[in-house]
């Protein structure tokens, strides 16, 4: 993966490997955190084109739409919540009802990872598994170090495995 094709590779991997499993194996309540607005627009257009049931939160969403979309997501009227990092940076709303969290790319601020992970809903059926999926590449090492620490990041980045489970 080269730096120039990273965005395309990430999108292809997400659409081919992550999204089908998330849509098929869930009862909804999936929040997707997107660091880049350009990636957000790309995902939003893909969702529209393929009739994916979602709501969005970005820095350009009106306050009325924010309230409506958060309510739709919490009550299950929309299966997926697509949001940008800039939305979260400026609003910092608590997002209720998250059962699965997907980081399309790691956030620029490592504290956002923990804050959003702590929003995973624990009040629903205990048999439902709560998951966090995080897409990253070796070029995300600095962001990954903010989340995992430098020692664990070196281990993950030097590994030949494609999937890592961190507990």
């Amino acid at each position: 993966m080269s730096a120039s094709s990273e965005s395309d590779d990430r999108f292809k991997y997400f659409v081919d490997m992550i999204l089908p499993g998330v849509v098929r194996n869930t009862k909804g309540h999936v929040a997707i955190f997107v660091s880049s607005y350009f990636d957000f627009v790309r995902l939003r257009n893909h969702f529209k084109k393929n009739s994916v049931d979602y709501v969005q939160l970005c820095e350009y969403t009106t306050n009325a739409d924010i309230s409506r979309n958060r309510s739709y997501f919490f009550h299950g009227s929309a299966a997926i919540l697509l949001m940008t990092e800039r939305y979260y940076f400026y609003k910092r709303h608590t997002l209720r009802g998250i059962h699965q969290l997907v980081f399309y790319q790691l956030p620029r601020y490592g504290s956002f990872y923990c804050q959003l992970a702590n929003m995973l809903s624990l009040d629903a059926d205990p048999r439902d598994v709560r998951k966090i999926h995080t897409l990253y590449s070796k070029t995300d090492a600095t962001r990954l170090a903010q989340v995992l620490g430098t020692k664990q990041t070196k281990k993950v980045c030097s590994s030949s495995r494609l999937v890592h489970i961190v507990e």
Side-chain angles (χ1 to χ4, degrees):
M1 175 188 303
S2 68
S4 62
S5 69
E6 182 178 352
S7 180
D8 293 333
D9 293 341
R10 185 183 310 273
F11 178 75
K12 182 170 177 23
Y13 185 82
F14 178 81
V15 169
D16 293 344
M17 304 299 287
I18 303 292
L19 189 59
V22 165
V23 171
R24 182 180 61 247
N25 297 327
T26 187
K27 299 173 186 167
H29 301 282
V30 178
I32 301 173
F33 179 90
V34 184
S35 186
S36 161
Y37 186 76
F38 299 109
D39 288 331
F40 170 82
V41 170
R42 189 176 196 180
L43 285 174
R44 182 190 65 194
N45 291 343
H46 177 78
F47 287 177
K48 284 182 182 180
K49 180 180 172 186
N50 293 292
S51 302
V52 175
D53 179 28
Y54 80 101
V55 291
Q56 67 182 27
L57 298 174
C58 73
E59 56 272 23
Y60 304 113
T61 308
T62 65
N63 287 336
D65 286 341
I66 288 171
S67 296
R68 185 179 319 107
N69 291 346
R70 288 174 62 210
S71 177
Y72 284 166
F73 178 73
F74 176 68
H75 294 293
S77 300
I80 296 174
L81 172 68
L82 184 63
M83 74 172 143
T84 64
E85 182 169 8
R86 284 178 55 105
Y87 159 79
Y88 187 71
F89 180 86
Y90 288 113
K91 300 293 185 176
R92 303 283 173 102
H93 290 128
T94 298
L95 302 170
R96 299 178 355 205
I98 299 174
H99 294 186
Q100 288 190 50
L101 180 59
V102 178
F103 285 93
Y104 186 78
Q105 183 177 20
L106 286 161
R108 287 178 183 85
Y109 301 97
S111 60
F112 289 2
Y113 190 93
C114 296
Q115 291 170 11
L116 291 165
N118 286 330
M119 290 183 201
L120 284 175
S121 179
L122 300 175
D123 58 350
D125 189 350
R127 294 173 292 179
D128 288 343
V129 178
R130 303 295 183 253
K131 291 182 184 177
I132 300 174
H133 303 274
T134 306
L135 298 174
Y136 65 92
S137 68
K138 290 184 180 184
T139 59
D140 293 324
T142 304
R143 293 180 184 195
L144 192 59
Q146 292 177 356
V147 175
L148 296 178
T150 54
K151 186 177 179 182
Q152 188 71 21
T153 298
K154 286 179 185 176
K155 190 187 287 186
V156 167
C157 288
S158 64
S159 172
S160 62
R161 295 177 43 206
L162 295 176
V163 176
H164 297 275
I165 298 174
V166 180
E167 297 180 26

